[in-house]
């Protein structure tokens, strides 16, 4: 049986690479089953599972919170997002970054710097926790 | 023995200082490894991303993405500046600023407006003092394991401004981790991509083989394909998505490089601080012993003199 090389990578780590008989992923327009010699294709992924069927019928499952799927006749590449991404989440992050800069410019004294830094740290931790929780919810 | 006591307390405080610098040195030494592992872990993604972007950029679509078209009139440029949050890392940040400042001044002399996005506390502090530079976004306190979601905000600010025509070129400034002893302050073009490819070729000795970390290296934009992808849902959406992710991965890599550089620079700085402290302690001990000797000699001669007088 012919196989197709499958690479699943995220920005922070390599998740899987090996030979597969079939790769099933949730594309933006629906489920895709990729077998060897598939036509070149590129699509965005929806949050969901990626099933890799190995030679011998063994299945491996991975969860991705989005990303890009690139297919070439001999290679499937999944560029997985590590974070939960959505347009309004990204927009909120951008607003935060802008505000942080404005705050940094507005407050010039050292004492305020420290308070600012602590507030930012607390804020960042809260955001991280929220994202973590969101990701857990998505998984279940 | 008044001088002796003073010297002794100086020795004591220098010893305490050496303890601190030693500890910092060892902490950084262990963190370098972790930072390097992070760099290594993020490489497959960058490699895969580079491949996909190279393919997508040359695939024959009639859609032209702003990131792929170079604008002829440059009215505003953006810099994404990656620095550390904390100091005590030698000249790491100041070396970067020293390279950056002439570049910024050169743009300003040409009447080009410069916008800056700061990643790291030191960059925020620096650009707050610099006149004529517009700080449009910042993020700080990324910690020991920077996550890509911490960078999404600042990157989006830049990309949105660029797409809206508010920026004509974007550069990325960070410290490239060469090895533990060497960190190279680097300013690289980020978008548009043709500019990146052009600057790559212009800079001699910086080929893809020598710069395995740089995701764009080896990206040849004139290469064409006789096939094209099937795009789902359509070329414009996918291209936009891919290019955004690509820029994110490049900036993320730069942050990791800078993190490794930070620890390496701190380790070296703290090592030389410890060595200097040891030297100072040696000198102080010598002068302490001399002072003690002098005091004893004086005491003896006083006793002898006193005895002779009686």
């Amino acid at each position: 049986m012919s196989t197709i090389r499958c690479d699943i990578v995220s920005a922070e780590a390599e998740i899987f690479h090996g030979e597969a008989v079939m790769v099933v992923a949730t594309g933006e327009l629906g489920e895709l089953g990729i077998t060897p010699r598939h036509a070149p294709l590129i699509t965005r992924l929806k949050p969901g599972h990626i099933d890799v069927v190995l030679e011998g019928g063994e299945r491996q499952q991975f969860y991705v919170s989005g990303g890009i799927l690139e297919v070439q006749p001999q290679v499937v590449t999944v560029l997985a997002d590590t974070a939960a991404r959505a347009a309004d989440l990204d927009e909120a992050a951008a607003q935060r970054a802008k505000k942080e800069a404005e705050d940094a410019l507005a407050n010039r004294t050292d004492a305020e710097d420290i308070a600012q830094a602590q507030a930012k740290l607390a804020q960042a931790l809260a955001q991280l926790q929220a994202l973590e929780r969101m990701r857990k919810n998505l998984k279940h | 023995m008044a001088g002796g006591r003073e010297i002794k307390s100086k020795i004591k405080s220098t010893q305490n200082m050496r303890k601190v610098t030693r500890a910092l040195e060892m902490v950084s030494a262990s963190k370098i490894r972790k930072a390097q592992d992070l760099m290594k872990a993020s490489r497959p993604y960058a490699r895969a991303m580079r491949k996909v972007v190279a393919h997508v950029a040359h695939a024959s679509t009639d859609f032209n993405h702003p990131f792929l078209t170079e604008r002829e009139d440059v009215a505003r440029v953006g810099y994404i500046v990656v620095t550390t949050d904390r100091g005590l890392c030698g000249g790491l940040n100041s070396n970067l600023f020293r390279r950056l400042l002439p570049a910024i001044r050169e743009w300003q002399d040409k009447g080009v407006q410069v916008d800056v996005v700061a990643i790291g506390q030191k960059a925020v502090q620096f650009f707050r003092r610099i006149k004529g530079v517009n700080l449009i976004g910042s993020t700080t306190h990324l910690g020991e394991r920077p996550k890509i979601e911490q960078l999404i905000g600042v990157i989006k600010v830049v990309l949105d401004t660029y797409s809206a025509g508010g920026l004509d070129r974007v550069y990325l400034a960070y410290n490239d981790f060469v090895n533990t002893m060497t960190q190279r302050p680097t300013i690289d073009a980020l978008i548009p991509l043709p500019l990146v490819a052009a600057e790559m070729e212009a800079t001699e000795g910086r080929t893809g083989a020598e710069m395995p970390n740089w995701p764009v290296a080896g990206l040849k934009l004139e290469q064409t394909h006789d096939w094209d992808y099937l795009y789902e849902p359509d070329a414009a959406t996918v291209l936009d998505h891919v290019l955004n992710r690509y820029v994110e991965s490049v900036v993320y890599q730069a942050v990791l490089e800078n993190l490794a550089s930070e620890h390496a620079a701190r380790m070296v700085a703290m090592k030389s601080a410890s060595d200097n402290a040891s030297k100072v302690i040696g000198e102080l001990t010598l002068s302490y012993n001399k002072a003690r000797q002098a005091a004893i000699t004086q005491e003896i001669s006083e006793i002898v003199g006193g005895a002779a007088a009686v």
Side-chain angles (χ1 to χ4, degrees):
Chain A
M1 205 195 282
S2 65
T3 56
I4 186 163
R5 205 174 81 223
C6 175
D7 292 314
I8 305 179
V9 289
S10 80
E12 282 151 33
E14 185 164 25
I15 298 168
F16 172 85
H17 84 132
E19 297 290 326
V21 177
M22 185 162 82
V23 180
V24 183
T26 324
E28 204 169 37
L29 298 183
E31 287 237 321
L32 294 154
I34 315 287
T35 47
R37 291 194 290 280
H38 193 286
L41 172 133
I42 189 161
T43 181
R44 293 200 290 189
L45 290 175
K46 281 208 289 202
H49 289 285
I50 292 180
D51 281 4
V52 181
V53 184
L54 303 175
E55 245 174 326
E58 195 197 325
R59 267 171 179 268
Q60 283 204 14
Q61 245 186 13
F62 303 93
Y63 173 79
V64 291
S65 54
I68 301 161
L69 177 81
E70 191 229 7
V71 181
Q72 292 203 26
Q74 306 303 331
V75 197
V76 185
T77 313
V78 179
L79 298 157
D81 288 344
T82 42
R85 301 289 294 262
D88 39 348
L89 267 182
D90 284 10
E91 188 56 46
Q95 292 302 333
R96 266 202 306 277
K98 274 186 198 165
K99 197 179 169 309
E100 241 182 76
E102 281 160 16
D103 289 351
L105 288 174
N107 301 303
R108 283 165 191 263
T109 60
D110 281 359
E112 270 171 314
D113 263 0
I114 294 163
Q116 195 75 32
Q118 279 166 343
K120 262 186 240 166
L121 190 66
Q123 204 183 1
L125 285 174
Q127 279 162 18
L128 275 178
Q129 270 171 355
L131 277 171
E132 207 75 72
R133 219 174 300 137
M134 222 183 114
R135 216 178 307 160
K136 261 185 207 146
N137 284 340
L138 279 171
K139 267 180 204 167
H140 297 310
Chain B
M1 276 279 292
R5 198 171 300 143
E6 265 167 36
I7 293 172
K8 206 162 191 185
S9 80
K10 255 188 203 162
I11 291 177
K12 193 87 199 153
S13 68
T14 315
Q15 274 169 341
N16 285 336
M17 215 150 15
R18 186 173 61 178
K19 261 185 219 160
V20 174
T21 54
R22 278 258 165 85
L24 275 170
E25 179 193 334
M26 283 189 285
V27 167
S28 293
S30 77
K31 279 180 180 169
I32 288 180
R33 282 200 57 110
K34 276 183 213 151
Q36 274 179 301
D37 288 346
L38 279 180
M39 260 162 63
K40 228 178 276 165
S42 75
R43 240 168 245 165
Y45 182 85
R47 207 179 302 130
M49 191 52 108
R50 178 172 70 218
K51 218 179 64 199
V52 172
V53 167
H55 279 150
V56 169
H58 316 133
S60 44
T61 74
D62 32 344
F63 172 71
N64 233 340
H65 196 275
F67 293 180
L68 298 175
T69 34
E70 206 170 346
R71 295 178 193 149
E72 282 181 9
D73 296 327
V74 179
R76 289 176 90 104
V77 295
Y79 280 90
I80 299 180
V81 183
V82 186
T83 62
T84 65
D85 279 327
R86 281 169 292 177
L88 293 182
C89 48
L92 192 72
N93 292 320
S94 32
N95 284 344
L96 184 65
F97 293 143
R98 206 174 302 146
R99 275 215 57 189
L100 200 54
L101 215 47
I104 290 177
R105 293 289 176 238
E106 201 180 310
W107 283 118
Q108 285 176 334
D109 289 344
K110 283 190 228 160
V112 175
Q113 170 78 38
V114 179
D115 286 354
V116 166
V117 160
I119 300 176
Q121 191 70 43
K122 290 286 162 188
V124 175
Q125 282 166 0
F126 180 76
F127 285 106
R128 195 190 287 170
R129 285 185 282 119
I130 300 300
K131 291 214 170 65
V133 173
N134 215 354
L135 192 65
I136 56 171
S138 73
T139 181
T140 55
H141 306 291
L142 299 181
E144 293 309 323
R145 291 187 66 91
K147 297 261 180 206
I148 212 154
E149 56 251 51
Q150 292 167 302
L151 303 172
I152 291 168
V154 280
I155 295 169
K156 192 172 163 59
V157 169
V158 175
L159 296 186
D160 283 355
T161 320
Y162 180 88
S163 302
L167 290 172
D168 298 313
R169 281 180 184 186
V170 179
Y171 292 88
L172 179 66
Y174 64 101
N175 275 291
D176 190 23
F177 180 83
V178 181
N179 55 44
T180 315
M181 297 305 293
T182 323
Q183 298 86 39
R184 184 172 40 207
T186 309
I187 303 174
D188 283 326
L190 185 63
I191 38 179
L193 295 187
L195 177 72
V196 179
E199 294 214 345
M200 279 292 154
E201 275 172 26
T203 339
E204 256 180 84
R206 295 189 62 190
T207 56
E210 282 169 34
M211 295 180 48
N213 306 335
W214 184 245
V216 151
L219 190 122
K220 288 210 180 63
L221 287 163
E222 49 282 343
Q223 169 197 345
T224 47
H225 287 289
D226 45 358
W227 54 271
D228 197 359
Y229 286 108
L230 302 168
Y231 293 94
E232 280 186 24
D234 59 86
T237 323
V238 172
L239 201 57
D240 188 58
H241 189 81
V242 168
L243 290 172
N244 275 308
R245 288 292 186 279
Y246 165 75
V247 171
E248 279 165 19
S249 106
V250 174
V251 176
Y252 182 66
Q253 286 255 306
V255 168
L256 294 182
E257 290 274 344
N258 201 71
L259 183 72
S261 300
E262 174 188 353
H263 292 313
R266 181 166 300 131
M267 190 184 84
V268 172
M270 287 304 117
K271 185 171 171 30
S272 67
S274 306
D275 293 349
N276 283 341
S278 299
K279 212 190 285 166
V280 169
I281 289 171
E283 279 164 15
L284 285 175
T285 313
L286 189 67
S287 52
Y288 171 73
N289 287 341
K290 269 187 191 158
R292 193 184 52 145
Q293 191 66 52
I296 292 169
T297 314
Q298 200 189 345
E299 214 169 297
I300 288 173
S301 65
E302 272 167 16
I303 292 169
V304 171
V310 173

